[in-house]
């Protein structure tokens, strides 16, 4: 009920419904102006509850037989309310006993008016004979429909003793909450700082104290770790250009960093170990590829995609793996992603890449200063560095292996395995992979999912592939061609494949008749210093469109210079430093070379 104040007259507004029966019930309203005891009242008509067609005779609404609703709804009939003998000797109790609905409505209007005028004596006279009865003792009835622009299915409007409506108790007549879950404040405020060239945010305590707003120890540890890492991200975002190997940022609180990494990796592993090995995500969803210890480009995505924080951004975020190695800030990158996973477990997702294995991120001989193990030892020393390295790898062991977006886009780190292209193959092969999986090389299908590359144009042209479209990559792993993509998409009813794994000069590379997209989210550490490269990600929106998002090239920002990189053009693996991974331990069912075996076993020993 809405009320307005007037210096001269009291205006009381009521709402009710005139319902026309039919296939699509609609609710119509009419207004009137009448008087009660000489004081003007403007009210919505509450006296014409129609089913089909009704007529009002002497103020009584009489329902007629059911008829189809007219093409143009008729205006409900109205009855004038005046000060007559009906009201002088009637009170609520007697009107209820006699089931006199017209008098009940008039008394309701009179009660509201008396309340407005402060006439307590008249209110007592009208309601005086209720005795010990309360509103909850009365039988109330709801209208036969709530289909209205003014009411939702969660709103019940009660009419006393209506013979046309099912009986409800009084407690059913209050507006019900449309939310199925409890609504409560977050214990944090997102503080957003906008500068001339960047936007950043941080979370601070709101000061609201409630036992229901308490945090878990896991989320507290994740917040503490972010408190250490986010200043490093801010500093990394000030870098410019491609400087070859990423210059390292040092953390001043090494003890806090170690405690945070240990606690958060354990908490994140407990979350991912319960997830399906094949994630099923909804759009909108941002997909990011390899980051490889590059805080600079990670800060770019943080500033562009979630400037006010992950929790304030629409959609989910999927990382395709390869968080560590090559770049010199692997600890900060993987720590940041793990903390996001702990804080937002149903919004941030990650799958496993080939660098999320001990065989690769522990290979100090190949990656040298860029090795994740080397960085752990350089930061924390022995044996603490090796303990942190093993704790993070235990998290890697639990990571899902693939994801699908809206059942239309298959996301994997490396490529499609031959096992899923066999006749009768099912995606359950992925779902049934053990978790945790310590060594990906013990499962050929998983090994190909995190390692394989697209076939080169020469392989396709010179038929260097088998009958199913599979061959060998220049860096020593399996490759898949267009025939393999055709078979995979048709058999599992996908439309596209998203992957990372290969460095792309333009950040995003599209190939195989626009059905294969390679996403690379770092611009550093994969090309010679004189090679211009950028980073990118992809958004799959709610409408099913794929939107590549790439960082502008430095040459474009400097002036009107023709860029040397053509966006969305795929970059072959032999144009980056990744081709040197051929000496790595690419094997299945056979032992690697002696030198590689020695390095791997040394790295894996606690």
């Amino acid at each position: 009920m809405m009320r307005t104040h007037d210096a001269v007259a009291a205006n009381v507004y009521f709402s009710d419904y005139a319902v026309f029966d039919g296939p699509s019930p609609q609710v119509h309203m009419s207004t009137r102006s009448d008087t009660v005891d000489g004081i003007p009242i403007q009210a919505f008509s509450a006296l014409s509850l129609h089913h089909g067609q009704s007529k009002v005779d002497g103020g009584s609404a009489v329902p007629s037989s059911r008829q189809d609703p007219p093409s143009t709804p008729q205006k409900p009939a109205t009855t004038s309310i005046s000060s007559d003998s009906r009201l002088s000797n009637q009170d609520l109790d007697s009107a209820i006993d006699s089931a006199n609905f017209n008098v009940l409505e008039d008394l309701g209007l009179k009660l509201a008016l008396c309340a407005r005028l402060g006439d307590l004596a008249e209110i007592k006279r009208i309601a005086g004979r209720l005795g010990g009865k309360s509103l909850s003792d009365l039988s109330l009835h709801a209208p036969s429909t709530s289909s209205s622009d003014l009411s939702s299915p969660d709103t019940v409007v009660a009419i006393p003793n209506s013979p046309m409506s099912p009986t409800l108790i009084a407690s059913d007549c209050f507006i019900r909450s449309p939310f199925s879950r409890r609504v409560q404040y977050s214990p944090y405020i997102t503080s957003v700082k906008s500068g001339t060239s960047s936007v950043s945010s941080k979370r601070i305590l709101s000061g609201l104290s409630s036992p229901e707003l308490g945090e878990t120890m896991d989320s507290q540890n994740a917040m503490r770790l972010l408190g250490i890492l986010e200043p490093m991200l801010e500093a990394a975002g000030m870098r410019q250009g491609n400087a070859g190997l990423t210059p390292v940022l040092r953390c001043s609180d090494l003890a806090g960093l170690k405690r945070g990494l240990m606690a958060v990796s354990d908490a994140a592993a407990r979350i991912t170990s319960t997830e399906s090995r094949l994630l099923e995500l909804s759009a909108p969803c941002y997909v990011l590829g390899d980051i490889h210890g590059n805080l600079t480009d990670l800060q770019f995505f943080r500033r562009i995609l979630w400037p006010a924080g992950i929790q304030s951004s629409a959609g989910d975020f999927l990382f395709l793996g390869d968080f560590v190695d090559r770049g010199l800030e692997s600890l900060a990158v993987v720590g940041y992603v793990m903390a996001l996973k702990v804080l937002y477990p149903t919004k941030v997702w990650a799958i496993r890449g080939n660098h999320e294995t001990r065989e690769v991120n522990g290979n100090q001989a190949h990656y040298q200063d860029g090795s994740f193990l080397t960085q752990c030892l350089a930061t924390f020393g022995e044996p603490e560095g090796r303990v942190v390295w093993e704790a993070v790898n235990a998290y890697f062991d639990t990571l899902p292996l693939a994801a699908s977006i809206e059942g239309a886009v298959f996301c994997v780190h490396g490529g499609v395995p031959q096992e899923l292209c066999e006749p009768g193959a099912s995606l359950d092969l992925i779902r049934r992979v053990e978790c945790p999986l310590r060594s990906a090389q013990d499962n050929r299908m998983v090994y190909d999912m995190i390692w394989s590359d697209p076939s080169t144009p020469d392989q396709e042209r010179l038929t260097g592939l088998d009958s199913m479209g599979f061959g060998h990559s220049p860096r020593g792993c399996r490759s898949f061609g267009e025939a393999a993509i055709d078979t995979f998409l048709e058999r599992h009813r996908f439309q596209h494949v998203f992957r990372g794994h290969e460095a792309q000069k333009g950040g995003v590379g599209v190939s195989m008749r626009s059905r294969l997209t390679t996403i690379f989210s770092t611009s550093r550490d994969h090309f010679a210093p004189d090679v211009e490269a950028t980073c990118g990600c992809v958004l799959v929106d709610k409408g099913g469109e794929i939107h590549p998002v790439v960082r502008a090239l430095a040459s474009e920002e400097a002036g009107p210079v023709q860029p040397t990189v053509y966006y969305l053009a795929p970059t072959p693996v032999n144009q980056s430093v990744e081709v040197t991974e051929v000496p790595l331990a690419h094997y299945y069912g056979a032992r690697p070379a002696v030198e590689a075996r020695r390095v791997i076993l040394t790295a894996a020993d606690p």
Side-chain angles (χ1 to χ4, degrees), residues 321-340:
D322 276 18
F323 306 105
V324 300
D325 289 337
R326 298 196 184 279
L328 300 183
E329 288 151 355
S330 298
L331 279 165
V333 168
V334 71
Y336 180 76
V337 174
M338 290 191 303
L340 292 183

PDB file of all heavy atoms in Angstrom, residues 321-340:
ATOM      1  N   GLY A 321      47.217 -23.874 -18.289  1.00  0.00           N
ATOM      2  CA  GLY A 321      48.433 -24.508 -17.796  1.00  0.00           C
ATOM      3  C   GLY A 321      49.702 -23.775 -18.190  1.00  0.00           C
ATOM      4  O   GLY A 321      49.678 -22.701 -18.794  1.00  0.00           O
ATOM      5  N   ASP A 322      50.846 -24.371 -17.828  1.00  0.00           N
ATOM      6  CA  ASP A 322      52.179 -23.794 -18.038  1.00  0.00           C
ATOM      7  C   ASP A 322      52.310 -22.454 -17.312  1.00  0.00           C
ATOM      8  O   ASP A 322      52.528 -21.403 -17.914  1.00  0.00           O
ATOM      9  CB  ASP A 322      52.491 -23.649 -19.531  1.00  0.00           C
ATOM     10  CG  ASP A 322      53.031 -24.941 -20.123  1.00  0.00           C
ATOM     11  OD1 ASP A 322      52.843 -26.003 -19.497  1.00  0.00           O
ATOM     12  OD2 ASP A 322      53.617 -24.900 -21.224  1.00  0.00           O
ATOM     13  N   PHE A 323      52.208 -22.515 -15.990  1.00  0.00           N
ATOM     14  CA  PHE A 323      52.360 -21.331 -15.158  1.00  0.00           C
ATOM     15  C   PHE A 323      53.828 -21.036 -14.871  1.00  0.00           C
ATOM     16  O   PHE A 323      54.183 -19.883 -14.596  1.00  0.00           O
ATOM     17  CB  PHE A 323      51.624 -21.528 -13.827  1.00  0.00           C
ATOM     18  CG  PHE A 323      50.177 -21.904 -13.992  1.00  0.00           C
ATOM     19  CD1 PHE A 323      49.751 -23.207 -13.758  1.00  0.00           C
ATOM     20  CD2 PHE A 323      49.249 -20.969 -14.393  1.00  0.00           C
ATOM     21  CE1 PHE A 323      48.428 -23.555 -13.909  1.00  0.00           C
ATOM     22  CE2 PHE A 323      47.921 -21.308 -14.554  1.00  0.00           C
ATOM     23  CZ  PHE A 323      47.514 -22.602 -14.316  1.00  0.00           C
ATOM     24  N   VAL A 324      54.671 -22.066 -14.912  1.00  0.00           N
ATOM     25  CA  VAL A 324      56.044 -21.930 -14.423  1.00  0.00           C
ATOM     26  C   VAL A 324      57.040 -22.194 -15.544  1.00  0.00           C
ATOM     27  O   VAL A 324      56.677 -22.574 -16.654  1.00  0.00           O
ATOM     28  CB  VAL A 324      56.300 -22.900 -13.247  1.00  0.00           C
ATOM     29  CG1 VAL A 324      55.356 -22.604 -12.092  1.00  0.00           C
ATOM     30  CG2 VAL A 324      56.123 -24.366 -13.703  1.00  0.00           C
ATOM     31  N   ASP A 325      58.329 -21.971 -15.213  1.00  0.00           N
ATOM     32  CA  ASP A 325      59.478 -22.187 -16.095  1.00  0.00           C
ATOM     33  C   ASP A 325      59.643 -21.030 -17.096  1.00  0.00           C
ATOM     34  O   ASP A 325      58.698 -20.318 -17.419  1.00  0.00           O
ATOM     35  CB  ASP A 325      59.387 -23.518 -16.853  1.00  0.00           C
ATOM     36  CG  ASP A 325      59.590 -24.722 -15.954  1.00  0.00           C
ATOM     37  OD1 ASP A 325      60.205 -24.574 -14.889  1.00  0.00           O
ATOM     38  OD2 ASP A 325      59.081 -25.811 -16.305  1.00  0.00           O
ATOM     39  N   ARG A 326      60.878 -20.913 -17.586  1.00  0.00           N
ATOM     40  CA  ARG A 326      61.312 -19.898 -18.543  1.00  0.00           C
ATOM     41  C   ARG A 326      61.350 -18.516 -17.888  1.00  0.00           C
ATOM     42  O   ARG A 326      62.408 -17.958 -17.672  1.00  0.00           O
ATOM     43  CB  ARG A 326      60.460 -19.898 -19.810  1.00  0.00           C
ATOM     44  CG  ARG A 326      60.520 -21.193 -20.590  1.00  0.00           C
ATOM     45  CD  ARG A 326      59.982 -20.996 -21.999  1.00  0.00           C
ATOM     46  NE  ARG A 326      59.945 -22.257 -22.726  1.00  0.00           N
ATOM     47  CZ  ARG A 326      60.986 -22.821 -23.332  1.00  0.00           C
ATOM     48  NH1 ARG A 326      62.168 -22.239 -23.278  1.00  0.00           N
ATOM     49  NH2 ARG A 326      60.853 -23.972 -23.967  1.00  0.00           N
ATOM     50  N   GLY A 327      60.222 -17.914 -17.597  1.00  0.00           N
ATOM     51  CA  GLY A 327      60.196 -16.646 -16.890  1.00  0.00           C
ATOM     52  C   GLY A 327      60.709 -16.807 -15.474  1.00  0.00           C
ATOM     53  O   GLY A 327      60.553 -17.869 -14.855  1.00  0.00           O
ATOM     54  N   LEU A 328      61.310 -15.752 -14.928  1.00  0.00           N
ATOM     55  CA  LEU A 328      62.004 -15.864 -13.651  1.00  0.00           C
ATOM     56  C   LEU A 328      61.121 -15.575 -12.447  1.00  0.00           C
ATOM     57  O   LEU A 328      61.628 -15.499 -11.326  1.00  0.00           O
ATOM     58  CB  LEU A 328      63.208 -14.916 -13.643  1.00  0.00           C
ATOM     59  CG  LEU A 328      64.257 -15.175 -14.733  1.00  0.00           C
ATOM     60  CD1 LEU A 328      65.430 -14.226 -14.596  1.00  0.00           C
ATOM     61  CD2 LEU A 328      64.723 -16.627 -14.711  1.00  0.00           C
ATOM     62  N   GLU A 329      59.819 -15.407 -12.629  1.00  0.00           N
ATOM     63  CA  GLU A 329      58.913 -15.137 -11.518  1.00  0.00           C
ATOM     64  C   GLU A 329      57.823 -16.199 -11.419  1.00  0.00           C
ATOM     65  O   GLU A 329      56.649 -15.922 -11.196  1.00  0.00           O
ATOM     66  CB  GLU A 329      58.307 -13.740 -11.677  1.00  0.00           C
ATOM     67  CG  GLU A 329      59.325 -12.664 -11.414  1.00  0.00           C
ATOM     68  CD  GLU A 329      59.048 -11.373 -12.179  1.00  0.00           C
ATOM     69  OE1 GLU A 329      58.117 -11.336 -12.991  1.00  0.00           O
ATOM     70  OE2 GLU A 329      59.791 -10.404 -11.956  1.00  0.00           O
ATOM     71  N   SER A 330      58.235 -17.437 -11.581  1.00  0.00           N
ATOM     72  CA  SER A 330      57.286 -18.554 -11.559  1.00  0.00           C
ATOM     73  C   SER A 330      56.600 -18.698 -10.214  1.00  0.00           C
ATOM     74  O   SER A 330      55.413 -19.028 -10.146  1.00  0.00           O
ATOM     75  CB  SER A 330      58.015 -19.861 -11.913  1.00  0.00           C
ATOM     76  OG  SER A 330      58.541 -19.809 -13.215  1.00  0.00           O
ATOM     77  N   LEU A 331      57.327 -18.470  -9.135  1.00  0.00           N
ATOM     78  CA  LEU A 331      56.728 -18.605  -7.805  1.00  0.00           C
ATOM     79  C   LEU A 331      55.573 -17.627  -7.618  1.00  0.00           C
ATOM     80  O   LEU A 331      54.507 -17.983  -7.102  1.00  0.00           O
ATOM     81  CB  LEU A 331      57.790 -18.383  -6.728  1.00  0.00           C
ATOM     82  CG  LEU A 331      58.697 -19.567  -6.412  1.00  0.00           C
ATOM     83  CD1 LEU A 331      59.908 -19.108  -5.605  1.00  0.00           C
ATOM     84  CD2 LEU A 331      57.931 -20.632  -5.645  1.00  0.00           C
ATOM     85  N   ALA A 332      55.767 -16.384  -8.033  1.00  0.00           N
ATOM     86  CA  ALA A 332      54.715 -15.380  -7.881  1.00  0.00           C
ATOM     87  C   ALA A 332      53.518 -15.700  -8.767  1.00  0.00           C
ATOM     88  O   ALA A 332      52.364 -15.537  -8.365  1.00  0.00           O
ATOM     89  CB  ALA A 332      55.266 -13.992  -8.204  1.00  0.00           C
ATOM     90  N   VAL A 333      53.762 -16.157  -9.981  1.00  0.00           N
ATOM     91  CA  VAL A 333      52.661 -16.456 -10.910  1.00  0.00           C
ATOM     92  C   VAL A 333      51.814 -17.607 -10.391  1.00  0.00           C
ATOM     93  O   VAL A 333      50.583 -17.517 -10.296  1.00  0.00           O
ATOM     94  CB  VAL A 333      53.208 -16.770 -12.316  1.00  0.00           C
ATOM     95  CG1 VAL A 333      52.117 -17.373 -13.207  1.00  0.00           C
ATOM     96  CG2 VAL A 333      53.766 -15.508 -12.959  1.00  0.00           C
ATOM     97  N   VAL A 334      52.456 -18.721 -10.059  1.00  0.00           N
ATOM     98  CA  VAL A 334      51.678 -19.879  -9.613  1.00  0.00           C
ATOM     99  C   VAL A 334      51.037 -19.607  -8.260  1.00  0.00           C
ATOM    100  O   VAL A 334      49.916 -20.065  -7.981  1.00  0.00           O
ATOM    101  CB  VAL A 334      52.545 -21.152  -9.589  1.00  0.00           C
ATOM    102  CG1 VAL A 334      53.563 -21.121  -8.456  1.00  0.00           C
ATOM    103  CG2 VAL A 334      51.679 -22.401  -9.486  1.00  0.00           C
ATOM    104  N   GLY A 335      51.709 -18.850  -7.393  1.00  0.00           N
ATOM    105  CA  GLY A 335      51.110 -18.504  -6.114  1.00  0.00           C
ATOM    106  C   GLY A 335      49.852 -17.670  -6.288  1.00  0.00           C
ATOM    107  O   GLY A 335      48.852 -17.871  -5.589  1.00  0.00           O
ATOM    108  N   TYR A 336      49.888 -16.717  -7.229  1.00  0.00           N
ATOM    109  CA  TYR A 336      48.720 -15.864  -7.483  1.00  0.00           C
ATOM    110  C   TYR A 336      47.548 -16.683  -8.010  1.00  0.00           C
ATOM    111  O   TYR A 336      46.410 -16.533  -7.544  1.00  0.00           O
ATOM    112  CB  TYR A 336      49.099 -14.769  -8.484  1.00  0.00           C
ATOM    113  CG  TYR A 336      47.968 -13.824  -8.811  1.00  0.00           C
ATOM    114  CD1 TYR A 336      47.576 -12.840  -7.914  1.00  0.00           C
ATOM    115  CD2 TYR A 336      47.302 -13.912 -10.029  1.00  0.00           C
ATOM    116  CE1 TYR A 336      46.549 -11.961  -8.223  1.00  0.00           C
ATOM    117  CE2 TYR A 336      46.271 -13.040 -10.347  1.00  0.00           C
ATOM    118  CZ  TYR A 336      45.891 -12.068  -9.436  1.00  0.00           C
ATOM    119  OH  TYR A 336      44.859 -11.214  -9.742  1.00  0.00           O
ATOM    120  N   VAL A 337      47.797 -17.573  -8.954  1.00  0.00           N
ATOM    121  CA  VAL A 337      46.717 -18.379  -9.528  1.00  0.00           C
ATOM    122  C   VAL A 337      46.140 -19.338  -8.486  1.00  0.00           C
ATOM    123  O   VAL A 337      44.921 -19.520  -8.400  1.00  0.00           O
ATOM    124  CB  VAL A 337      47.218 -19.147 -10.769  1.00  0.00           C
ATOM    125  CG1 VAL A 337      46.143 -20.098 -11.292  1.00  0.00           C
ATOM    126  CG2 VAL A 337      47.635 -18.175 -11.869  1.00  0.00           C
ATOM    127  N   MET A 338      46.988 -19.939  -7.666  1.00  0.00           N
ATOM    128  CA  MET A 338      46.487 -20.833  -6.619  1.00  0.00           C
ATOM    129  C   MET A 338      45.640 -20.074  -5.605  1.00  0.00           C
ATOM    130  O   MET A 338      44.600 -20.571  -5.145  1.00  0.00           O
ATOM    131  CB  MET A 338      47.654 -21.540  -5.924  1.00  0.00           C
ATOM    132  CG  MET A 338      48.372 -22.560  -6.759  1.00  0.00           C
ATOM    133  SD  MET A 338      49.548 -23.594  -5.810  1.00  0.00           S
ATOM    134  CE  MET A 338      50.617 -22.351  -5.081  1.00  0.00           C
ATOM    135  N   ALA A 339      46.066 -18.867  -5.240  1.00  0.00           N
ATOM    136  CA  ALA A 339      45.296 -18.078  -4.280  1.00  0.00           C
ATOM    137  C   ALA A 339      43.922 -17.724  -4.845  1.00  0.00           C
ATOM    138  O   ALA A 339      42.910 -17.766  -4.126  1.00  0.00           O
ATOM    139  CB  ALA A 339      46.058 -16.808  -3.909  1.00  0.00           C
ATOM    140  N   LEU A 340      43.866 -17.383  -6.125  1.00  0.00           N
ATOM    141  CA  LEU A 340      42.573 -17.104  -6.754  1.00  0.00           C
ATOM    142  C   LEU A 340      41.682 -18.345  -6.725  1.00  0.00           C
ATOM    143  O   LEU A 340      40.464 -18.243  -6.511  1.00  0.00           O
ATOM    144  CB  LEU A 340      42.768 -16.639  -8.193  1.00  0.00           C
ATOM    145  CG  LEU A 340      43.417 -15.278  -8.421  1.00  0.00           C
ATOM    146  CD1 LEU A 340      43.463 -14.962  -9.909  1.00  0.00           C
ATOM    147  CD2 LEU A 340      42.686 -14.177  -7.664  1.00  0.00           C
TER     148      LEU A 340
END
